[in-house]
Amino acid sequence: MFASLRDVSLRGIKRLCLNNCFRCLSTAPGTFESNKKNIVLVDGVRSPFLLSGTSYARLMPHELARHSLLSLLRKTRLDKAAVDYIVYGSVIQEVKTSNIAREAALAAGFSDKTPAHTVTMACISSNAAITTGMGFIATGTFDTIVAGGVEFMSDVPIRFSRKMRSLMMKASKAKSLGQQLSLLAQFRLNFLAPELPAVAEFSSGETMGHSADRLAAAFNVTRQEQDEYALRSHALAKEAQEKGYFTDLVPFKVSGVDHTISEDNGIRVSTKEQLAKLKAAFVKPHGTITAANASFLTDGASACLITTEEKAKHLGLKPKAYLRNFTFVSQDPVDQLLLGPAYGIPKLLQRSGLTLKDVDAWEVHEAFAGQIVANIKALESDWWCKTYLGLSEKYGAPDINKFNNWGGSLSIGHPFAATGVRLCMHAANRLVREDGKLAVVSACAAGGQGVAMLLERHPAATAN
């Protein structure tokens, strides 16, 4: 055996060892060594991702989620009764369906005996849903999990002011005419000013766009670099769309819309000259974040099936990938709000015994072009890696030729809680089409948090 290994590359030896050590989850949190179960991503689907206010505008979010659940069952040909548990992510929640996982499951015809819960972790909510399912499987609590996420920005909850809400609550308890008149006397016209949800940090009050602008400035990311990256995202997404690579996308016939929605509608290939004409969107007039180099408000839903390799075989399913490892990170939500990948990627690879060169496909969430470039520059900075990662030198950046090769959130769209499944599915399908073995998924999230996940191509995987 050792004689034959002498002719194998170092990378080949490492992967040979990984095949033996990545057998299933161990009991240690976040480690995936020397285990008994192989957890697999069987398959996943998503609705077309649409700009908010377009063809999904009259729906409710649970209807989008219902579409993804039913689409997953049809694609996998799985009986509803085989699903043990459903976990869904949602960020800006419809108050009528706060546990949207349960409401969508019931609307999709799942048994009322199938438990379901909703998680929220900003842009990494469906990553959290997937890893929650992995935990259920690792502990032997459940075998077959559906995880996903939905976001509906066409209709967000808008509240009365707190003073008005307080007055209305008191009015509902007022019993006499005198009490009612007393409360009416307290009313002021400015009580009617509405409270709109904002993509802003509660702890700092700063919008994510302002944070992105400051991050870009801190890492000397130029407007030109951001526009060029945005152009790359749209061009690659358009190419992948035309080649039929988005096999996770399931067309949706929406009632009241005269055509079947079959494509993401935010992909627009422009020119450098056109992008250069746009004005700053947040820090005016000198900011570098614009409408073109930032992800847009998006409606969409996604769902995926995870189980053990043994269970998948029993059910006659062909998995896409092994879910090998994951980690969550968090840091300063003011100055380092969007640096989740720069923290998460080194931590994940170190824990997995891997280096950057071992990764064949990268799928990293594109909140802003400036955020992507800043994360890359952070990993390429000796000072930053020494100061914040405790390394002796720079960690190094992912190979751009393996990075988001089908576009990303800047072009495809970013329904907050649904993006994590899309990232995992593109990673798994790219491994097949690009003949790779290992993929890393990573994303930043509000609150200064982030995720990194390791996927390995399954021998039975196809890109269909």
Side-chain angles (χ1 to χ4, degrees), residues 50-126:
L50 304 186
L51 285 86
S52 61
T54 56
S55 296
Y56 293 151
R58 295 183 181 180
L59 294 176
M60 287 187 68
H62 76 280
E63 295 175 298
L64 267 176
R66 174 182 180 271
H67 168 73
S68 63
L69 290 174
L70 292 175
S71 298
L72 180 66
L73 293 174
R74 284 192 291 266
K75 189 174 184 183
T76 58
R77 299 181 182 178
L78 186 68
D79 189 275
K80 294 184 183 78
V83 177
D84 296 323
Y85 203 98
I86 298 170
V87 193
Y88 242 69
S90 184
V91 181
I92 309 295
Q93 297 187 6
E94 163 61 55
V95 294
K96 293 180 180 179
T97 56
S98 56
N99 185 5
I100 199 164
R102 178 65 167 170
E103 302 304 334
L106 293 174
F110 281 85
S111 167
D112 58 12
K113 304 299 182 185
T114 305
H117 81 266
T118 301
V119 298
T120 184
M121 204 172 179
C123 302
I124 56 177
S125 293
S126 57

Side-chain angles (χ1 to χ4, degrees), residues 199 207-213 279-285 287 289-291 294 368:
V199 185
T207 67
M208 193 169 284
H210 278 82
S211 296
D213 245 324
K279 295 182 179 180
F282 299 99
V283 179
K284 301 176 182 179
I289 307 294
T290 70
F368 303 88

